[in-house]
């Protein structure tokens, strides 16, 4: 078992090839945290304006903003770790995929009746979050499958 196997990743020092892949993973997590915290701040500070612009309730945006604030802070803490634990990175990837699916499902089910701007914003942010999740998954896989492992 190597220092970067799924069982030990994040608890021991990774091998040299795995260390080479870690910066990308950490940058993707940091980008995720920055984007999430920016959205959280906008939803919390501008919920009335953005609610009218997007055609969704200000109360919904306040709730989403509060959730994103906590989620983004957690992802930021994970990104700051020298070796982010693989189970937590997987949780972020899965959370991001669920977020993207929820955005699409809300529109498809007619739960919200957004404005034209909302019809652009909701799928756009879902697509960005899904792309970030895929990139994070691939970076994590590269770390876990780095050549030179015992």
């Amino acid at each position: 078992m190597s220092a970067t196997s799924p069982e030990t990743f994040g608890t021991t020092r990774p091998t040299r090839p795995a260390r080479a892949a870690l910066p990308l993973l950490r940058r993707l997590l940091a980008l995720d945290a920055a984007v999430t915290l920016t959205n959280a701040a906008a939803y919390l500070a501008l919920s009335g304006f953005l609610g009218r612009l997007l055609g969704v309730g200000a109360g919904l945006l306040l709730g989403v903003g509060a959730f994103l604030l906590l989620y983004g802070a957690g992802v930021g803490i994970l990104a700051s770790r020298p070796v982010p634990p693989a189970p937590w990175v997987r949780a972020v990837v899965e959370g991001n995929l669920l977020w993207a699916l929820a955005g699409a499902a809300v529109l498809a089910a007619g739960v919200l009746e957004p404005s034209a701007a909302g019809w652009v914003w909701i799928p756009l942010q879902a697509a960005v979050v899904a792309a970030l999740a895929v990139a994070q998954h691939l970076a994590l896989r590269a770390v876990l499958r780095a050549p030179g492992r015992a």
Side-chain angles (χ1 to χ4, degrees):
M1 179 181 330
S2 78
T4 57
S5 69
E7 297 80 24
T8 61
F9 183 69
T11 60
T12 61
R13 188 176 164 99
T15 62
R16 181 174 300 238
R19 277 196 309 265
L22 280 174
L24 174 61
L25 177 61
R26 292 181 66 223
R27 279 193 299 270
L28 288 168
L29 291 168
L31 175 63
D32 189 349
V35 170
T36 301
L37 291 170
T38 299
N39 278 334
Y43 292 165
L44 290 170
L46 304 170
S47 61
F49 170 75
L50 290 174
R52 288 186 300 278
L53 177 68
L54 300 174
V56 298
L60 174 65
L61 288 181
L62 282 173
V64 168
F67 169 78
L68 291 178
L69 183 65
L70 296 174
Y71 185 80
V75 175
I77 290 168
L78 187 61
S80 72
R81 302 280 308 268
V83 182
W88 287 103
V89 175
R90 283 189 193 102
V92 168
V93 169
E94 291 167 5
N96 285 343
L97 289 174
L98 285 173
W99 181 266
L101 288 173
V106 161
L107 291 178
V111 173
L112 295 177
E113 295 179 19
S115 65
W119 276 102
V120 171
W121 175 251
I122 295 169
L124 178 64
Q125 63 85 32
V128 168
V129 171
L132 191 53
V134 169
Q136 290 166 337
H137 168 75
L138 293 174
L140 176 61
R141 191 171 73 177
V143 170
L144 294 175
R145 294 186 179 177
R149 290 181 17 185

